[in-house]
Amino acid sequence: MVALHSMGSPAPPLAQHIGLPTSIPHLPPTPIKSIKKVEEHTRFLIRRLLPIGLFLVAFATVMSILILHMDNTAMKHHQFTLNLSKDLELNSISQDNPQLIMYLREVALFPAIETHHKPLESQEDPTDETEYVLRLLNHKQNGVFVEAGAYSDGRSSKTEVLERRFNWKGLLIQPDPRHYFNLRRHNRLRSQCAHACLSPMPYPREITLHSESDVKINDIYSNSMDNPDWLVIRVKCFPLFSFLLAFNTSTVDYLSLETGGTELQVLETLPFDRVKIEIISVDLKDDKEIGTIKKFLATKKFKYIQKFNYSYIFMMNHVRI
């Protein structure tokens, strides 16, 4: 047993009682080379990981911006599609507005020629309808025509023979851009043309035109959102009377209308007390409205006289057959 020490004397260290060394062993210092290796390894890791970290941050930033841009673009595209389905009504502009007439003369009307491409083959013989019109007018020379829907099949026009053989002049109106460029390649030297449509209202409009490869002119009031595969084109439409004023004429010997279902509305916009028209040809694929058109033109002193395929011919009462 360990003897108890007397009061007042310090107790020996515990290490002495259990036989442990009383001094702490001295550890050797860490070599400087080891510290340098750790620092070099740390710098190596930083050099390797920093570009990866920066890349991940940049990638996340770019993807966030791209997602926001795509969402914004999708919203704008949706709004644009909605706008395409709406017609722009310029009902504050009358059809005889001087500024509108000046706009048509300087911006909308062009010579019906195309000098940068090979001319397309011209018609040699008149159609039955054209021959009939010539007979009604006693084979008149230097007449005036207006043809809406010229070259809608890409090849033919009811007025080409009138111009080339009988020195007529006139207006050619075509809303479909494909047929419009074909029109100009026929080099109608005495005519002017417009890439536009005839407004069914007595003021200008901007509408959406829908067309397919196998359809000439579709209903201009169709909704493009229901037919996403169709070619959608924004087209300006002007009243027929505005075109006549821009062309400096109030007399038309032969008016040919093929407007895709708006023929009656186009005729209703005409102030017949300010224009003189000898013969009107109305092209109708659906003859449901022919009765209404006959009644309307009868009030304007026109009478129905003949039909050729889809064309209904009307003439003023004073014209002799």
Side-chain angles (χ1 to χ4, degrees), residues 9 14 19 30 48 120 127 157 182 190 200 235 243 251:
S9 60
L14 180 62
T30 303
R48 293 293 299 270
L120 296 178
T127 63
S157 164
N182 281 336
R190 294 176 57 84
V235 180
F243 275 118
T251 299

Side-chain angles (χ1 to χ4, degrees), residues 169-231:
K169 65 179 181 179
L171 287 171
L172 303 169
I173 301 170
Q174 177 55 253
D176 192 306
R178 300 165 301 175
H179 302 323
Y180 172 74
F181 289 117
N182 281 336
L183 180 161
R184 296 187 65 175
R185 289 182 63 187
H186 281 83
N187 288 340
R188 303 283 295 271
L189 300 178
R190 294 176 57 84
S191 298
Q192 289 187 296
C193 62
H195 176 214
C197 63
L198 293 180
S199 175
M201 301 296 179
Y203 50 79
R205 311 175 77 214
E206 183 174 304
I207 57 95
T208 300
L209 175 72
H210 309 279
S211 59
E212 292 178 297
S213 59
D214 57 345
V215 179
K216 291 191 293 184
I217 299 179
N218 287 282
D219 185 0
I220 62 177
Y221 300 109
S222 299
N223 191 330
S224 63
M225 298 179 69
D226 297 331
N227 302 279
D229 295 331
W230 283 13
L231 176 63

Side-chain angles (χ1 to χ4, degrees), residues 5 18 22 39 63 89 126 145 170 206 217 222 248-249 254 267 290 313 316:
H5 294 274
I18 60 177
T22 58
E39 292 177 350
M63 289 301 297
E89 308 284 346
F145 61 80
E206 183 174 304
I217 299 179
S222 299
N248 289 318
T249 186
Y254 177 41
L267 290 171
I290 187 58
I313 310 299
M316 287 291 292

Side-chain angles (χ1 to χ4, degrees), residues 129 132 136 267 278-284 287 289-321:
E129 178 181 339
Y132 185 72
L136 289 174
L267 290 171
E278 297 290 343
I279 296 175
I280 298 176
S281 171
V282 180
D283 193 288
L284 297 176
D287 59 0
E289 284 195 338
I290 187 58
T292 306
I293 293 176
K294 287 180 179 179
K295 291 179 181 179
F296 171 76
L297 288 178
T299 65
K300 307 301 179 182
K301 299 181 180 180
F302 284 85
K303 63 180 180 181
Y304 168 70
I305 56 173
Q306 188 60 272
K307 179 183 178 182
F308 293 92
N309 296 324
Y310 299 107
S311 297
Y312 296 82
I313 310 299
F314 298 83
M315 68 175 184
M316 287 291 292
N317 285 333
H318 64 79
V319 179
R320 296 180 180 178
I321 301 179

Side-chain angles (χ1 to χ4, degrees), residues 13-290:
L14 180 62
Q16 293 179 359
H17 289 288
I18 60 177
L20 294 176
T22 58
S23 62
I24 298 174
H26 180 71
L27 297 176
T30 303
I32 297 177
K33 290 184 178 181
S34 298
I35 297 176
K36 289 183 177 180
K37 286 183 178 180
V38 172
E39 292 177 350
E40 290 177 357
H41 182 67
T42 303
R43 287 195 295 269
F44 173 77
L45 290 177
I46 292 175
R47 286 196 301 268
R48 293 293 299 270
L49 296 178
L50 183 60
I52 297 175
L54 293 176
F55 170 78
L56 292 176
V57 171
F59 179 78
T61 303
V62 171
M63 289 301 297
S64 300
I65 295 174
L66 181 60
I67 292 173
L68 292 175
H69 175 72
M70 291 176 63
D71 289 342
N72 188 38
T73 302
M75 292 178 62
K76 289 182 178 179
H77 176 73
H78 180 68
Q79 186 61 46
F80 178 74
T81 305
L82 290 176
N83 291 338
L84 281 181
S85 65
K86 299 178 181 179
D87 295 340
L88 178 61
E89 308 284 346
L90 304 176
N91 51 12
S92 62
I93 303 176
S94 62
Q95 58 183 337
D96 59 354
N97 183 290
Q99 293 182 338
L100 172 61
I101 306 308
M102 185 63 65
Y103 172 84
L104 291 176
R105 288 174 181 166
E106 296 184 356
V107 179
L109 292 177
F110 293 90
I113 58 175
E114 174 55 67
T115 59
H116 301 292
H117 295 85
K118 181 180 178 180
L120 296 178
E121 185 177 353
S122 301
Q123 288 179 254
E124 297 295 334
D125 300 317
T127 63
D128 292 339
E129 178 181 339
T130 304
E131 186 65 48
Y132 185 72
V133 169
L134 282 170
R135 185 163 65 87
L136 289 174
L137 297 173
N138 297 318
H139 293 81
K140 180 177 181 177
Q141 296 281 338
N142 301 308
V144 176
F145 61 80
V146 175
E147 184 177 3
Y151 298 99
S152 288
D153 60 357
R155 301 182 303 274
S156 59
S157 164
K158 298 178 182 179
T159 60
E160 185 171 348
V161 172
L162 298 177
E163 178 179 336
R164 299 193 188 280
R165 292 191 184 181
F166 298 90
N167 295 320
W168 285 41
K169 65 179 181 179
L171 287 171
L172 303 169
I173 301 170
Q174 177 55 253
D176 192 306
R178 300 165 301 175
H179 302 323
Y180 172 74
F181 289 117
N182 281 336
L183 180 161
R184 296 187 65 175
R185 289 182 63 187
H186 281 83
N187 288 340
R188 303 283 295 271
L189 300 178
R190 294 176 57 84
S191 298
Q192 289 187 296
C193 62
H195 176 214
C197 63
L198 293 180
S199 175
M201 301 296 179
Y203 50 79
R205 311 175 77 214
E206 183 174 304
I207 57 95
T208 300
L209 175 72
H210 309 279
S211 59
E212 292 178 297
S213 59
D214 57 345
V215 179
K216 291 191 293 184
I217 299 179
N218 287 282
D219 185 0
I220 62 177
Y221 300 109
S222 299
N223 191 330
S224 63
M225 298 179 69
D226 297 331
N227 302 279
D229 295 331
W230 283 13
L231 176 63
V232 179
I233 308 161
R234 294 295 286 179
V235 180
K236 292 180 174 61
C237 302
F238 303 99
L240 176 56
F241 184 58
S242 302
F243 275 118
L244 295 180
L245 294 178
F247 195 61
N248 289 318
T249 186
S250 60
T251 299
V252 178
D253 296 293
Y254 177 41
L255 170 62
S256 175
L257 290 179
E258 182 183 353
T259 59
T262 62
E263 288 80 7
L264 175 60
Q265 293 94 321
V266 169
L267 290 171
E268 289 175 337
T269 66
L270 274 176
F272 281 89
D273 58 334
R274 299 176 63 181
V275 297
K276 179 183 178 182
I277 303 175
E278 297 290 343
I279 296 175
I280 298 176
S281 171
V282 180
D283 193 288
L284 297 176
K285 298 300 182 289
D286 187 351
D287 59 0
K288 292 181 180 179
E289 284 195 338
I290 187 58

